[in-house]
Structure formats: structure tokens, C-alpha cells
Amino acid sequence: MKSVEKSFEAHDFTSPEFWKKFFAERGTPFEWYGGYDDLSVIIEQYVTPKNCVLQIGCGNSELATEMYDNGFHQIHSIDTNAKVIKQQSTKNRNRSGLAFSVDDATKLTLADLTFDVVLDKGTLDAMFPPKATDEQKEMVSKMFSEVARVLKPLGRYLIVTLAQEHILDFWLKELSGRFILKVHKVKNSTRGLRMPVFVLVATKLLKPLTMTRPIDFVNSNDTSVTPISSLDELFEVVKAEQQMSSLLHYLAQPLKEETSLKLWGSDKQEKYQVYIVDKEGVAVKLKSYGVFIVPYGRKHEFLYADPKGRKELRSNCKKDRLAIVHVLDKLMQDFIEIQDDLNPYALQWAPAGKHVEHRHQFLTVGDDNTVEVLETGNSEVNGEFVVKDVEIEGEFRRQLVFLASKNLIQSEVLLKVDEGRKFPMLNHLTSEHHEVMLIALGLHESKPLESLDTADLQLGILGLGGGLLASYLLLHLPKCKIIGIELDPEVVRIAESYFALPTKDPRLEVRVVDALDYLQVNAHDDSRRQRLDILFVDVAGGEATGITCPPPSFLTDQALDNMKRSLKPNGILALNFVTRDQSLAGKTRGIVQKHFKGLYSMSVAHHVNEILIASAEELDIVELQKTIKRDYPLPKMISQRLGNMKLV
């Protein structure tokens, strides 16, 4: 989506004067074009720590300081103001690699082909006003020539700008042919940077182009790339982004009246009509926020079509701000697809302020197939995620889905519905591979299944996830103790908030740590060692190596030796192993068997999962199969599955 239409009074958000006044209360340095945090996503695409960078017109900006503190240690900054340069040099005297000197970008004293990157934050805008004189245009042209001279071949010229039309016009005419050109929109929101800031990227060619090449425009929300073939088209997409920034400025405060906007798809067809409605009142603080999706064909109903109806809908949804989205594209039918498409924009429309809830809900017209999205977010470890309630064949289930991993369902639990409220059912396992992993209980020499109430086991789970396996074991084994290891703190929070993980149960210890680090310490540090009866390994990996689960680092000699050392002499390892490469599967079993004499394999029906059950010594499977056929209190699935177990 690249276009937006708004229904409120617009200011000249392309004017530096407007923003200078708007940010006048911000302290020195005057970072109204954004600091490193705002620009880092784009800067880090084009600048590496090894690059030699020239910053022109540095002023009192902290950008060079912030870049240095983030690993960029070869930055030479210039300005014509000697006082500013002295201040910068004094402030950064302990940052070796930062240099500041008095110099003029239109007649640099620096040598040819010296820099990998030239960085300009606001300097071009300051030098080139909308009604520039011929002399001012000549000065900018000289600056462009000087930049081209000091840049190495394939070096990048990055200009942070408000991208006014006269700037784009001159930049394109001056650099086209000598450089490959790209335009990035800097992402902003009601919570952070709201300026319509862009980064113009020009990559110096080894030799001039003989034919015109389209300009790539990179959208701020979904990073999609749109090829631009004309200056007018570039003006159009930039103006749309500037209008979105104008909208976000408007949405930063409670709305006095409903506002609306329209979003188009990349094919320039209408996609969504959006109405944003706030709770009314004097000095109201907006604390909650939701997005209500009106399916295609239902926009004419009173609650969605009439301003009074939309006020009522906001009140019914119990949200202080509600974005009501009419789906205009009849091909957009899937709720999750629509939610994923809207999510980058929906995050921007949220009210500003520390008191606002950190998440938003997606809601839709209530029917038997309603999907309620409880939370969306972005984890530093696993990327984008969604927590949602779904209905599958008459059953309600709650899922944690990692969108960055091809919509991987990380955790799932059945829900009990009581008077409209939903509760996780911890006495059921929805993941079949978890059921198979429980075979380890049936193989343990202490025979815990014969008496669940007295079975005193020390259990470990690597890859706690939503905590469903841990919760199930705690429910059935009242005397067991469990240590759960999870790398992602966001997942632990979700497990507690949405999957009823009993983190306050004294029998459960949750550690947010790298599982490999835990194994290393547990195996070799006697003062901190926790010898386990059973270790469940259920750690997700990636497909790049051919093994989806666990990551290859868990299948090294060191990791497997640490697993063995973490177990008691009679301990059992249950490892969830997933690969579609049978040759690789055979090699992996061989590696595991080097450390565990007793290695048994169980396939998971209808899945590619294979559960490896391992022990230091070989187990008498025949005798165990006879014993386990009793009616144990734990579900009979364990005894039913043992017949499929095979010795590796």
C-alpha cells in the first residue's frame, strides 16, 4: 500500500519552518530529522563498520557520536562553523576514530576517492530553499560534484531530507546517470518520529549509464520496493508518505472528531477505507486501542457506515481509540491475511503516550468463524508474532504464531469456554510430538507411571515455549520439579499471560537463557549442577541447514555430551528432531548414538517429526513393553505408542 487520503485540515508538513517551530521545545542538539535510532534501519543497510564515512554539515548533531557508539569507528565530520567543530571535538575526544574539521562541502580539501559513504542530514535542505537563487543552485551543484569526487566507486551518498519537490527534482537531474538512485521513507508513528523524513540513496557507478534506470522507492511500513519511472510518479508516492506523517501528527493527541483515510494497493486500486474514532471527554487519556475489520460487502450497515454507528461500535468494543477498517478489495477475505497486511499501519495509528497499552487487538464482525487476535508484536529473538484464538472443527484453540518463520505455530492449547470467557485446558496436549516425548516417562527405571502422586522426578525442558508440556507435567506429577529454559523473554511473558503457565508454582523454575549456555554450566559447574531424570529438548531451528528442529548447534559432540552430563546415570533424553532429508537423519542418529548407547526412534503420525529417546545404557524394550501395558493414570497414549518404537 502506498497512498493515503485524509479528511482533516493539512498543514505544510513538507516545510522545514513548520517542523522547526513544532520541535522548538526540544533541547540541543536539534535532532528534528531524527537520531540514530530513527535512521539506523536504513543506515545499517548501506554502511558497514569497516566503511570510511564523511558527514557533511554535521552541526551540533549527535549522529556521529551515536553511530560510533553503535560500532562505526571511522567517521570524519565537517562543518563551516569553527565553534561547532570545536565543541564536537571536545565532546568526542575519547572516541578514537571520530574526526571533526572545518571544511566546506562545496570545495572540500579532502583527497579523491577517499570515502565509502558520504552522509548528509539536513544540509541539502538548509542549502537549497524552495525559491533558491541561481547562486544557491550552483553551490548545491558544486557540493554534488565534490561528493562524487571523494566517493570511491560504488560508494553511497546518503541524504536525510524532507524530500520537497524542488529537492527531488534537482537531485534527480544532477545525479541520474552517474549514480543508481533509491528513495527510502523513514518509518514513523504517533509514538516516535512523526516527521516526513526520507533518505535519498545514490550509489556511485564505475561509469555513467547509457539508458535511464527506474528509481526504487522503499516503503516505510512493509519495506516493499516500488520502481518509479517518472518524476511525477516519485512526487506522488512521496506526497502520500508526507500525508501519512501529517496524519500521525494529528493522531498523537485525542481526536475531537472522527477522522478518515484511504489506503490503496500497489496496483493503485482502493484497498481499505479507515475511520478512526476516539473516546470523547475533557482531558481524556487514551489507554486502549483496537482495530475493527469490516468484511467486504458489509460497509453499508449502520454500525460501520454512519458516524453515530461508529461511535456506538467504539463504545461496544470498550476501546478508547478504535480504527474501523472497511475492506474494499473483494479478494481480501482471510482475516489473518488482512490483519498481517494492516498491522504495520495499525501500529502507527495507536495513541501516543506511556500510559497506552503496548498492544492492540484486531476485532471483526462476530460470527461462528470469528478469529480474535489477542496480541501482535515483534520479539527481538523470534521476530513478528501473533497470539490468536481460532475455531477448528468446533473447538476453540489459542495459538502463538511466529510470522517470521513461515507462520510457525509455536504453541497451541485447547480452550474451555465458560459464560463467554475462554480458559486454557492444561490437561490436554494438542501437539502430538509432545505426547510422543512423554514415552520417556514410561522408559524411566523408577516407573513413575505406576504412581503419579509419589513420582519424585527432576525434569528439564529446553525450549519452554508456551509452557504446555511443563503445565501438563505439573498437573499430572504433583511431586515433580521442572526447570524450563527459554531464550526469548517475550515468549515467557506470553506463556504466562495467555497460556496460563504457572510461573508462581514453586515446582517450576523458569530461566531466560540460551539453552546451550545452560547445558554448559549444568554439565561442568558442580556448584550449580542440576542432575535431571528426564531432559526434554524441543528447540526450534531453521531450515537453511536441512534440519528444522533442533538447531544444528544442539547436535554437536559438545552439546550432546553436556546433555548426557546433565542427566542422572539412569536419565532419559527425549529430543524432538525434524528433517526431510533421510540421509541427514541417519547421520544425526549416528552422532547422537556416539554419546547414548540406548537410542530409540519414534515417528509422529502425519508429521515429519521424529522423537529420539536416548539413555546412557541400552534399555530392555521388550520388558518395558510388557510392563507399560497396564492402565496407568496418565493417558493410554504412552502404552499405545510404545509398540511403534524402534531401536536405532
Side-chain angles (χ1 to χ4, degrees), residues 359-431:
R359 64 179 186 272
H360 61 269
Q361 283 185 310
F362 277 95
L363 310 166
T364 189
V365 181
D367 55 35
D368 292 338
N369 296 316
T370 295
V371 176
E372 183 180 12
V373 175
L374 304 176
E375 180 176 347
T376 61
N378 198 321
S379 158
E380 291 185 1
V381 176
N382 289 297
E384 290 185 278
F385 67 85
V386 58
V387 182
K388 60 183 180 179
D389 289 349
V390 300
E391 186 179 7
I392 302 174
E393 297 180 351
E395 289 183 332
F396 285 98
R397 300 182 178 214
R398 180 163 295 164
Q399 297 176 341
L400 166 60
V401 179
F402 290 149
L403 303 177
S405 302
K406 297 184 179 179
N407 292 324
L408 168 71
I409 299 177
Q410 202 278 346
S411 298
E412 182 180 70
V413 64
L414 281 173
L415 297 174
K416 177 182 178 181
V417 181
D418 187 6
E419 297 182 350
R421 299 182 65 189
K422 303 187 189 85
F423 303 90
M425 298 175 66
L426 302 181
N427 59 333
H428 288 270
L429 288 174
T430 57
S431 297

Side-chain angles (χ1 to χ4, degrees), residues 178-194:
R178 293 185 291 162
F179 291 78
I180 294 175
L181 304 180
K182 184 179 289 190
V183 179
H184 284 263
K185 173 66 177 65
V186 178
K187 189 172 184 179
N188 53 14
S189 72
T190 59
R191 296 169 182 266
L193 181 69
R194 298 192 290 275

Side-chain angles (χ1 to χ4, degrees), residues 452-592:
L452 297 179
D453 292 338
T454 61
D456 185 7
L457 296 174
Q458 182 78 35
L459 309 175
I461 301 175
L462 305 187
L464 184 65
L468 285 312
L469 179 59
S471 296
Y472 186 89
L473 291 167
L474 289 169
L475 191 64
H476 287 281
L477 298 167
K479 287 199 172 183
C480 77
K481 294 182 179 62
I482 299 177
I483 179 164
I485 307 299
E486 175 57 48
L487 177 62
D488 192 344
E490 193 73 347
V491 168
V492 174
R493 179 189 65 78
I494 291 168
E496 185 177 23
S497 301
Y498 296 106
F499 292 87
L501 178 67
T503 53
K504 295 182 180 180
D505 190 323
R507 297 174 297 154
L508 174 64
E509 178 186 359
V510 177
R511 293 192 192 177
V512 179
V513 66
D514 189 312
L516 292 173
D517 292 341
Y518 162 77
L519 287 171
Q520 180 68 20
V521 172
N522 200 47
H524 299 283
D525 188 341
D526 291 334
S527 64
R528 300 167 65 183
R529 179 174 295 181
Q530 294 173 301
R531 287 296 187 96
L532 305 170
D533 293 290
I534 301 175
L535 176 61
F536 299 94
V537 179
D538 189 21
V539 184
E543 297 181 347
T545 61
I547 298 178
T548 305
C549 185
S553 53
F554 284 79
L555 299 171
T556 64
D557 286 329
Q558 181 180 359
L560 290 166
D561 182 65
N562 287 341
M563 291 180 198
K564 183 177 179 180
R565 288 173 179 268
S566 294
L567 290 167
K568 295 177 182 178
N570 59 347
I572 304 289
L573 170 68
L575 187 145
N576 183 25
F577 176 57
V578 182
T579 183
R580 297 180 183 274
D581 187 332
Q582 291 307 306
S583 173
L584 191 56
K587 292 178 182 178
T588 301
R589 295 188 200 103
I591 295 171
V592 176

Side-chain angles (χ1 to χ4, degrees), residues 113 115-118 147-153 155-157 204:
L113 309 178
F115 297 95
D116 301 289
V117 177
V118 174
V147 168
R149 180 179 65 78
V150 300
L151 264 181
K152 298 176 182 178
R156 273 75 177 259
Y157 180 20
K204 182 180 176 181

Side-chain angles (χ1 to χ4, degrees), residues 124-143:
L124 176 59
D125 285 6
M127 292 179 62
F128 197 22
K131 296 180 180 180
T133 63
D134 289 342
E135 183 181 358
Q136 288 171 320
K137 292 178 182 179
E138 179 65 22
M139 295 294 283
V140 173
S141 183
K142 287 180 179 179
M143 180 174 71

Side-chain angles (χ1 to χ4, degrees), residues 20 40 83 102 113 153 164 172 181 183 195 198 269 318 322 346 366 483 491 533 570 595 599 614 626 645:
K20 188 170 184 177
S40 61
K83 182 178 178 181
V102 177
L113 309 178
Q164 297 164 275
L172 184 62
L181 304 180
V183 179
M195 288 189 62
F198 300 79
Q269 298 299 311
K318 296 180 172 59
L322 187 68
I483 179 164
V491 168
D533 293 290
N570 59 347
H595 301 271
L599 180 61
K626 292 178 182 177
M645 178 172 281

